[in-house]
């Protein structure tokens, strides 16, 4: 039986393995599916600017704090707080994290399952173009075709459920094999392929005629839209930052607990944050030029990549082969994230409730499976879950930085950050300033304003 004890605990074995697993968790549907449409709905460049500021000033310190909590305790989020702050209520923060991950895991795996449907469908579209009549369709007809496909697929019951279950099983298969032989092994293969695919798509997209406008939209800050609903938009940027970096819920406490003592935590955090942001921006560069070149509305919403991209691909030389590549890429990105979520729940079950890894994995899959199936059949539940990161993750992140800033001893912080003296920590005072003041105050402020504006939206009379 796998225990939380020190001796027999699995860990990542190489620096590349650590980076692949962490970047694999951070980079996912959040970068390629969620980021472009959230940017599209919130005015483009100006939103991107706010997002990048949050990533640097709040994202990096929260991520480092999670690593410190996880690696010092070598336990799951609940166990890690219990060990670092025995006899206090801090473990509830770990529990909040496990619950958030559980919810996100369920809805995320649903969307991840869609990628499989699209991988399979794009093979059919490529092999039998005549059957679908693509040749004779103009762009309007194509748009109608892919919209209908998306609507009938997502509103159907069985196919989304089947792909959801398949995705869940693939995730479970990797997680059951363990940290080193499962997670590290697969992310080391999947992430490099993912990057190559993305670069191919980017190079195709920026050479499209008429795509320049898309780059202007993405990079040129225009604050008019933000002025209309500043609080809501700013909270969305914060929520997106947390979601995309996989922070605020203990995923990186868990992965941090598998990082060896010789690794440099600050360097690792900065690399992961940089890679995640780079990929989100690359995804924007792959998508917006194409969206503008074909006259599609960038504020289209969650179905942007599923409804509109196939139309765009069909218009390009090579046609739907691009769609196939894109959905394979999305699928790889998604699965390296779902395994990091499942691992949190498995680590919690196996270490806190003393279950074997296998039993913990199966139990987590079945329980999250029920929730996911509810998500696939009820658009309302899906919508609520999709919106949940905006609130739950900043809340978790707030407590995590407050814990490191005010309750974790300076001595221990230095030990973790310097890896027991192996690295110099010249940034120590800046880091402490960020975790003690900047990050908690900024999160609390943005959170309060964001909640207020959401409430006003629902009950306008209160305004
Ligand atoms: N960061 C992942 C993404 O961008 C999502 C994720 C959330 C992963 C929570 C793990 C935990 O897609």
């Amino acid at each position: 039986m796998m225990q939380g004890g020190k001796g027999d605990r699995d860990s990542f074995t190489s620096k590349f393995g650590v980076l692949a697993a962490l970047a694999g968790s951070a980079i996912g549907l959040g970068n390629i599916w969620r980021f472009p449409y959230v940017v599209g709905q919130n005015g483009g460049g100006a939103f991107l600017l706010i997002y990048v500021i949050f990533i640097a000033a709040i994202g990096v310190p929260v991520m480092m704090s999670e690593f410190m909590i996880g690696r010092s305790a070598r336990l799951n989020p609940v166990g890690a707080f219990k060990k670092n702050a025995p006899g206090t209520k801090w473990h509830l923060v770990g529990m909040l994290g496990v619950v958030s991950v559980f919810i996100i895991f369920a809805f995320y795996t649903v969307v991840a399952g869609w990628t499989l449907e699209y991988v399979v469908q794009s093979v059919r579209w490529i092999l039998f173009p005549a059957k679908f009549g693509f040749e004779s369709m103009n762009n309007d007809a194509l748009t109608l075709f892919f919209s209908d496909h998306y609507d009938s697929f997502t509103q159907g019951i069985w196919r989304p459920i089947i792909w959801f279950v398949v995705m869940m099983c693939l995730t479970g298969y990797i997680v059951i094999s363990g940290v080193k032989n499962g997670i590290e092994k697969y992310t080391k293969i999947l992430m490099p392929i993912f990057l190559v695919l993305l670069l191919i798509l980017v190079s195709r997209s920026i050479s499209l005629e008429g795509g320049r406008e898309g780059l202007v939209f993405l990079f040129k800050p225009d604050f008019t839209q933000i002025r209309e609903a500043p609080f809501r938009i700013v909270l969305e940027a914060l929520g997106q930052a947390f979601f995309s970096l996989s922070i605020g819920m203990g995923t990186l406490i868990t992965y941090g607990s598998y990082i060896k003592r010789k690794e440099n935590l600050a360097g690792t955090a900065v690399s992961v944050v940089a890679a995640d942001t780079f990929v989100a921006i690359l995804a924007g560069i792959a998508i917006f030029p194409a969206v503008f070149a074909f006259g599609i509305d960038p504020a289209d919403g969650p179905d942007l990549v599923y409804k509109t991209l196939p139309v765009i691909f069909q218009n390009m030389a090579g046609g739907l082969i691009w769609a196939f590549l894109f959905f394979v890429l999305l699928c790889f990105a998604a699965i390296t994230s779902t395994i990091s979520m499942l691992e949190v729940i498995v680590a919690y079950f196996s270490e806190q409730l003393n279950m074997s890894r296998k039993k913990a994995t199966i139990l987590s899959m079945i329980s999250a499976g029920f929730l996911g199936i509810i998500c696939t059949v009820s658009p309302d539940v899906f919508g609520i879950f999709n919106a949940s990161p905006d609130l739950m993750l900043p809340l978790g992140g707030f407590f995590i930085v407050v814990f490191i800033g005010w309750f974790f001893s300076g001595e221990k912080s230095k030990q973790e950050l310097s890896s027991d003296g192996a690295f110099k920590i010249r940034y120590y005072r800046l880091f402490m300033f960020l975790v003690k003041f900047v990050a908690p105050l900024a999160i609390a402020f943005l959170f309060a304003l964001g909640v207020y504006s959401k409430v006003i939206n629902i009950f306008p009379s209160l305004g």
Side-chain angles (χ1 to χ4, degrees), residues 84-139:
N84 276 315
T88 65
K89 294 262 178 279
W90 278 103
H91 62 95
L92 294 178
V93 178
M95 206 58 230
L96 171 74
V98 176
V99 172
S100 313
V101 172
F102 190 76
I103 292 178
I104 293 178
F105 178 50
F107 101 82
Y108 194 94
T109 310
V110 172
V111 185
W114 298 353
T115 65
L116 293 173
E117 158 83 8
Y118 275 78
V119 169
V120 172
Q121 291 300 339
S122 43
V123 172
R124 283 181 64 217
W125 295 331
I126 295 165
L127 292 181
F128 311 107
K131 182 169 164 204
F132 301 101
F134 290 137
E135 302 299 299
S136 58
M137 286 186 194
N138 61 13
N139 278 347

Side-chain angles (χ1 to χ4, degrees), residues 379-391:
D380 291 339
V381 176
F382 181 84
I384 293 172
F385 282 8
N386 191 10
S388 67
D390 289 351
L391 293 179

